[in-house]
Amino acid sequence: MPAEVNGLWLNQYVSPQLLKEFKNYKDDFMSTLKPAPLAAVSADGIRMHKLVNNVEFLVNNADPFTATGMDGKKVIIPWDKLDTTPTKVDDAEARSLPFDKRAAVRVKHTESFKLGSRNYVMQKLAPASDSASTPVLRTTGQDDGTGRKRLTYADLIRFHAAVKALNLPNTNELFLILCAEHSQDLILDRANTNNNRDIVIDSVTGKLKRFYEIKLFENNYNPKYAADGTLKAIGAAPVGTDKNASVFYYAPNTVWHVNKVKILYKPETEDTTSADPASEFRTQTYALCEKTQEYGFGAIVSGNV
């Protein structure tokens, strides 16, 4: 394989096609997230209401009834600012290249924005820690040779029971984003069991599609959890005991909204001081993804051996 050297060829006698980068931009699960009602969108975020159900059901009541009020709760979900870092292209390098570097840089910013937004959304969907309303379970399978316990069919049954216990009303809106290693664990475990009808695999694409009511996505990106069971911050330096997670979410309890994405561009014609005038690019917007309530989310985290 030829070695890569920093810099670009400044002549026309090279292939005009750029070599491909092998990055995972997969974000198909984002189409299942719920959009924000436009009327609820404000400069501060999205405004929402909730009524706390205090209605009781009685059998053979003989006492007089007393009407009670029903308290309301109001919530605002604030904006997050999403940016790409700026890129500079100077005239000395761009003028002789066999491709339009400025246009290529714009494409790279779009790709980075898509990838970063995907990671941001998955991090927001992942629960902070295990609770009755946000179950986080550890895998219990055999060591895969790296100090990680594999995900087993029995683990998935146990997680399915935890999801059923949440009593979520719309079973068509249950989704689990499998990390790459858990996908492989299930394929391996499925090959050694008779539970072929429970884990549905598309016979054409080979994708894992469903486990009972829970629809499955697969992604090579995933949030990580520390050994104490807490969610690691995005971009936090990993340690050996951190483990990858598959993320579960109940779609009606999600909201995802992006304002108009701005391409910030300063042309080289405005650079009056540099010997080689440079243009600059950046992508920026305000967006939000959030759990509308801390209920109906979960994770399967690889166990430590």
Side-chain angles (χ1 to χ4, degrees):
M1 174 183 168
E4 294 181 354
V5 180
N6 287 338
L8 294 168
W9 298 109
L10 295 180
N11 65 64
Q12 60 181 329
Y13 302 110
V14 295
S15 172
Q17 286 80 31
L18 289 171
L19 295 174
K20 293 290 186 182
E21 285 186 298
F22 294 95
K23 291 189 177 181
N24 167 39
Y25 296 103
K26 186 177 174 63
D27 63 354
D28 50 359
F29 69 92
M30 291 173 65
S31 64
T32 66
L33 305 179
K34 300 307 175 185
L38 293 181
V41 176
S42 71
D44 298 313
I46 296 177
R47 300 180 296 261
M48 292 186 167
H49 281 146
K50 179 181 179 180
L51 285 177
V52 180
N53 191 344
N54 61 350
V55 177
E56 297 181 54
F57 180 77
L58 305 178
V59 176
N60 296 330
N61 178 58
D63 299 324
F65 287 96
T66 302
T68 60
M70 184 175 289
D71 292 336
K73 301 288 184 181
K74 58 183 180 181
V75 176
I76 186 163
I77 300 173
W79 296 105
D80 289 313
K81 188 166 65 171
L82 309 183
D83 287 286
T84 58
T85 55
T87 302
K88 179 175 69 173
V89 180
D90 65 53
D91 187 59
E93 61 175 328
R95 66 186 176 86
S96 298
L97 291 172
F99 63 93
D100 186 343
K101 185 174 180 181
R102 294 184 180 92
V105 166
R106 291 189 186 96
V107 172
K108 295 295 184 185
H109 274 260
T110 299
E111 291 173 346
S112 294
F113 186 85
K114 179 180 178 181
L115 186 150
S117 297
R118 186 275 314 273
N119 297 355
Y120 159 79
V121 168
M122 288 187 70
Q123 192 75 14
K124 286 286 190 174
L125 295 178
S129 60
D130 181 43
S131 73
S133 58
T134 59
V136 177
L137 277 64
R138 290 276 181 173
T139 61
T140 62
Q142 293 182 341
D143 185 353
D144 71 346
T146 67
R148 179 188 73 87
K149 294 183 178 181
R150 292 187 180 277
L151 173 66
T152 67
Y153 178 83
D155 293 333
L156 205 55
I157 285 288
R158 190 162 51 97
F159 186 77
H160 181 266
V163 169
K164 293 286 281 186
L166 297 176
N167 198 32
L168 299 167
N170 188 349
T171 56
N172 291 321
E173 299 276 13
L174 309 178
F175 298 97
L176 178 64
I177 309 169
L178 291 167
C179 66
E181 60 193 23
H182 290 170
S183 296
Q184 294 304 310
D185 291 344
L186 287 179
I187 292 171
L188 177 65
D189 196 48
R190 179 181 185 272
N192 291 287
T193 68
N194 295 319
N195 302 307
N196 295 349
R197 64 185 177 84
D198 303 335
I199 302 175
V200 178
I201 300 180
D202 191 301
S203 60
V204 176
T205 65
K207 293 179 181 179
L208 295 167
K209 294 177 60 177
R210 181 175 53 80
F211 181 75
Y212 291 103
E213 313 95 303
I214 302 176
K215 298 179 180 67
L216 302 178
F217 289 105
E218 298 177 70
N219 210 296
N220 285 339
Y221 174 80
N222 53 271
K224 294 180 181 294
Y225 283 77
D228 64 358
T230 57
L231 178 66
K232 297 277 289 191
I234 192 167
V239 297
T241 54
D242 293 344
K243 286 294 180 281
N244 296 325
S246 297
V247 176
F248 169 80
Y249 63 96
Y250 179 57
N253 286 358
T254 66
V255 61
W256 166 235
H257 185 81
V258 181
N259 275 351
K260 185 177 181 180
V261 179
K262 299 188 290 291
I263 304 297
L264 305 178
Y265 172 58
K266 185 174 75 173
E268 66 273 13
T269 54
E270 294 182 7
D271 184 354
T272 61
T273 58
S274 301
D276 296 313
S279 54
E280 295 182 8
F281 303 86
R282 191 175 120 225
T283 305
Q284 190 267 336
T285 192
Y286 283 87
L288 58 82
C289 179
E290 194 56 87
K291 310 173 185 71
T292 55
Q293 49 189 327
E294 289 287 337
Y295 197 92
F297 297 86
I300 302 173
V301 185
S302 290
N304 286 300
V305 175

